[in-house]
Amino acid sequence: MDETRYLDRIGQLVEPGERVQAHAKAEVGGGLTPPPPPDEAVPETPGRATVSSVLLNLLAPLATWDRGDRLVDLIGWGIAGRGAPGSAASRLHRAVNPARPDGKLRHTLLAVTDRRLLVCVTGPVKVLSSREDDERSLAETRIAWAVPRAEVASARVGWHRLNPKRLRVDFADGSWLAFTVPIAESGRPLRAIAAALTG
């Protein structure tokens, strides 16, 4: 899908007089992320992650244990965000990764306006989509989460493991969350987001 079409749709979602300064299609980085907000937290079962649960997670990915999954994420991908339950990063992560996903693929769009940082989610997308599918997905794009720019402490793009294009957004409450694009895609949109947030 043409990336400029995202800009047109985001422009329709913002408040009157609000100007979009940068936008990018990106996904939350792989790895350990902040825990969900307290009202959505699922109590963990007692015990600790064992070597056997980690091995089982690697050998049979559909059989999961929360602590084992988190350890595998930490070892395989590193840390993609930090923050207390209910922090800005925790709420943002939950907004783009709901607790009960419907199993359909959606894209995450970041947008910086002169007032806010917006995180939008497209409608369901298909791997092999037609023009009509793309238009339907774009028409269903909505703002999933927004925060005033004053609550963003900093943003920067840098290396993380083998990916040179990881955007880290730090919030005023001390939490942070990372976003990435595939290695084959340009990092220019993420750098534009970082520049707009810090400029």
Side-chain angles (χ1 to χ4, degrees), residues 6-90:
Y6 289 135
L7 181 59
D8 295 338
R9 178 61 182 147
I10 293 167
Q12 296 169 359
L13 296 173
V14 297
E15 297 170 352
E18 191 172 15
R19 291 180 295 113
V20 178
Q21 297 176 331
H23 76 287
K25 183 175 82 169
E27 301 299 327
V28 173
L32 203 57
T33 55
D39 56 335
E40 299 179 19
V42 177
E44 288 192 40
T45 56
R48 56 190 174 97
T50 62
V51 172
S52 61
S53 70
V54 171
L55 288 175
L56 184 59
N57 281 0
L58 291 171
L59 298 174
L62 297 178
T64 62
W65 284 268
D66 186 53
R67 288 186 178 164
D69 286 346
R70 291 179 65 80
L71 187 57
V72 169
D73 285 345
L74 178 62
I75 293 167
W77 297 101
I79 298 171
R82 289 248 167 119
S87 64
S90 169

Side-chain angles (χ1 to χ4, degrees), residues 1-166:
M1 185 184 297
D2 181 13
E3 302 294 325
T4 58
R5 296 172 64 193
Y6 289 135
L7 181 59
D8 295 338
R9 178 61 182 147
I10 293 167
Q12 296 169 359
L13 296 173
V14 297
E15 297 170 352
E18 191 172 15
R19 291 180 295 113
V20 178
Q21 297 176 331
H23 76 287
K25 183 175 82 169
E27 301 299 327
V28 173
L32 203 57
T33 55
D39 56 335
E40 299 179 19
V42 177
E44 288 192 40
T45 56
R48 56 190 174 97
T50 62
V51 172
S52 61
S53 70
V54 171
L55 288 175
L56 184 59
N57 281 0
L58 291 171
L59 298 174
L62 297 178
T64 62
W65 284 268
D66 186 53
R67 288 186 178 164
D69 286 346
R70 291 179 65 80
L71 187 57
V72 169
D73 285 345
L74 178 62
I75 293 167
W77 297 101
I79 298 171
R82 289 248 167 119
S87 64
S90 169
R91 289 180 284 116
L92 169 54
H93 184 256
R94 180 56 63 197
V96 296
N97 294 306
R100 290 182 171 82
D102 58 8
K104 295 181 180 177
L105 175 67
R106 290 176 168 80
H107 293 304
T108 302
L109 309 173
L110 303 176
V112 178
T113 72
D114 52 351
R115 302 176 194 169
R116 303 179 289 169
L117 167 65
L118 306 174
V119 180
C120 302
V121 176
T122 67
V125 295
K126 296 179 180 177
V127 176
L128 299 173
S129 61
S130 66
R131 183 179 193 99
E132 292 78 26
D133 293 333
D134 289 345
E135 288 173 1
R136 187 177 313 112
S137 172
L138 188 63
E140 293 177 18
T141 299
R142 62 180 175 77
I143 297 175
W145 190 81
V147 66
R149 287 186 53 169
E151 291 190 33
V152 177
S154 67
R156 63 186 176 278
V157 175
W159 277 86
H160 176 71
R161 300 207 174 176
L162 297 176
N163 191 342
K165 300 169 283 198
R166 187 170 94 149

